[in-house]
Amino acid sequence: MNIPDNYHVLFLQGGESLQFSMIPINFLRGRNRPANYIVTGYWSKKAITDARREGQVNIIWDGSDEGFTRVPKQDELQFDSEAAYVYYTTNETVEGIQFPTIPDVGDIPLVCDMCSDFITKPVDVTKYALISAHGQKNAGIAGVSIIIIRDDFLKDIPDNIHTMLDYRPHIEKRSIYNTPPVFAVYTVMLMTRWLIEDIGGLENMDKLARQRSAIIYELLDKNEGFYKSHAKPDSRSLINIVFKLPTAELTQKFIAECAEEGLIGLQGHRSLGGIRASFFNPMPMEGVHALRDFMMRFQNKYH
Ligand SMILES: Cc1ncc(COP(=O)(O)O)c(C=O)c1O
């Protein structure tokens, strides 16, 4: 990731849901400045609830009226110049929409939830004040989160925060302030070694992610009368592909018949329904081909 020396990397517990709290506790509490949140889907919306307990949250873009089918363009974003930070979700796992580029926020600290596309591609870490990602999607297993924080972002943290919720003791103790989730951290080591030695690094992972998703998006585009992609083309996620079938009955049939062929976990998130194919880092190309072949057969059978 080419993480510069003025950043710290932490291995913490509590999943991304704890980061929804730790970020505003450390960086919004006691400030007379608002935080700016970009709401692009289920997860960024959820992050706001806890942020509001700590201070003023200004939602500077909200995609809910459009059913969370796209991310904003740069010229749709207007930040409070005094914002404590700008927060966004790089890839909305539920809706399958992803920022194709990093928003330009000028000098305001940029914070992101990178859970679902963490280490799926090269990223310019220097654009961020804080990156957080739980392990369980691309980097290992549940139980550990990887937090990357820039030094200068730590200077205004209030002093009355409970120790476990303050980033600084974890930095001082190099992520062993208390008993760490050793096995989960170990899986991150195995995954990063696999990424470097077997895949050949983040550029290659990105190529793979593009190839995998292109196969399914191409199929969706060719068969729009039957399969309907949720995301607008310029916001499509390379990781989570969300689409609908013509009826709820066909959706249930799709899921059931997939399972008979060993294709599992394709049910869309309960908040959205439909189908979601998730191609996290370990998904082999064979899995993508199997899904594509199944989708063509299914369409021929029921269309
Ligand atoms: C983008 C994103 N953020 C946050 C979460 C919540 O993560 P956790 O279960 O680790 O709290 C998820 C869960 O899937 C997610 O996809």
Side-chain angles (χ1 to χ4, degrees):
M1 287 186 82
N2 294 318
I3 302 171
D5 288 344
N6 61 326
Y7 284 76
H8 296 281
V9 180
L10 293 175
F11 294 90
L12 303 182
Q13 301 190 52
E16 192 60 21
S17 298
L18 184 60
Q19 295 310 306
F20 292 167
S21 303
M22 277 180 77
I23 290 164
I25 287 173
N26 283 261
F27 305 114
L28 184 57
R29 182 178 285 189
R31 318 292 208 279
N32 284 323
R33 300 187 289 158
N36 284 179
Y37 276 64
I38 303 174
V39 180
T40 45
Y42 182 88
W43 290 112
S44 48
K45 195 170 164 199
K46 207 158 183 203
I48 287 168
T49 310
D50 284 326
R52 284 196 165 128
R53 297 180 210 273
E54 298 300 333
Q56 192 187 334
V57 171
N58 290 346
I59 296 174
I60 55 165
W61 193 84
D62 185 343
S64 56
D65 286 350
E66 296 176 44
F68 296 132
T69 49
R70 68 176 184 98
V71 299
K73 298 204 166 47
Q74 181 69 36
D75 61 12
E76 294 176 280
L77 297 173
Q78 266 164 9
F79 310 102
D80 292 312
S81 57
E82 289 298 296
Y85 59 87
V86 175
Y87 178 100
Y88 81 114
T89 304
T90 54
N91 181 74
E92 288 282 3
T93 326
V94 171
E95 291 82 3
I97 58 175
Q98 183 177 27
F99 279 77
T101 52
I102 302 173
D104 182 358
V105 297
D107 292 333
I108 308 168
L110 182 61
V111 171
C112 75
D113 166 353
M114 202 181 272
C115 281
S116 42
D117 61 356
F118 184 63
I119 58 173
T120 63
K121 60 179 176 182
V123 162
D124 184 356
V125 174
T126 66
K127 297 271 195 267
Y128 294 97
L130 186 149
I131 293 171
S132 67
H134 55 203
Q136 62 258 40
K137 294 201 164 66
N138 296 296
I141 60 168
V144 66
S145 295
I146 299 116
I147 320 293
I148 304 169
I149 312 185
R150 199 171 62 211
D151 279 343
D152 67 344
F153 197 37
L154 298 164
K155 63 180 192 308
D156 295 328
I157 297 176
D159 278 324
N160 57 354
I161 299 175
H162 286 249
T163 314
M164 279 294 285
L165 301 180
D166 185 332
Y167 289 106
R168 294 168 303 180
H170 297 290
I171 289 171
E172 265 164 48
K173 301 291 182 195
R174 299 175 61 85
S175 300
I176 48 172
Y177 170 77
N178 72 330
T179 315
V182 177
F183 186 73
V185 176
Y186 174 74
T187 66
V188 176
M189 183 195 75
L190 295 179
M191 284 301 290
T192 48
R193 282 189 183 169
W194 167 81
L195 234 163
I196 293 166
E197 290 164 17
D198 293 32
I199 299 296
L202 292 175
E203 283 84 4
N204 284 358
M205 198 71 246
D206 184 35
K207 269 189 216 149
L208 252 170
R210 286 175 191 281
Q211 285 165 3
R212 286 188 301 223
S213 55
I215 289 172
I216 303 300
Y217 282 126
E218 219 167 85
L219 192 152
L220 296 182
D221 287 344
K222 274 197 197 132
N223 300 284
E224 272 178 321
F226 191 69
Y227 295 117
K228 197 165 173 6
S229 164
H230 176 76
K232 297 260 166 68
D234 55 3
S235 299
R236 285 172 167 178
S237 168
L238 306 184
I239 311 298
N240 310 98
I241 300 171
V242 176
F243 57 93
K244 297 233 155 122
L245 285 113
T247 64
E249 196 194 344
L250 275 174
T251 307
Q252 285 318 311
K253 271 202 170 86
F254 185 97
I255 293 161
E257 290 188 23
C258 266
E260 281 167 22
E261 300 202 18
L263 298 166
I264 56 163
L266 283 148
Q267 182 139 23
H269 190 267
R270 61 193 173 282
S271 64
L272 198 64
I275 305 292
R276 173 173 53 165
S278 290
F279 298 155
F280 294 118
N281 274 353
M283 172 57 75
M285 206 48 111
E286 292 88 331
V288 180
H289 289 157
L291 177 63
R292 176 201 56 196
D293 296 348
F294 171 82
M295 286 174 71
M296 293 194 311
R297 281 200 305 280
F298 190 83
Q299 179 181 1
N300 289 337
K301 193 164 153 191
Y302 293 106
H303 194 30

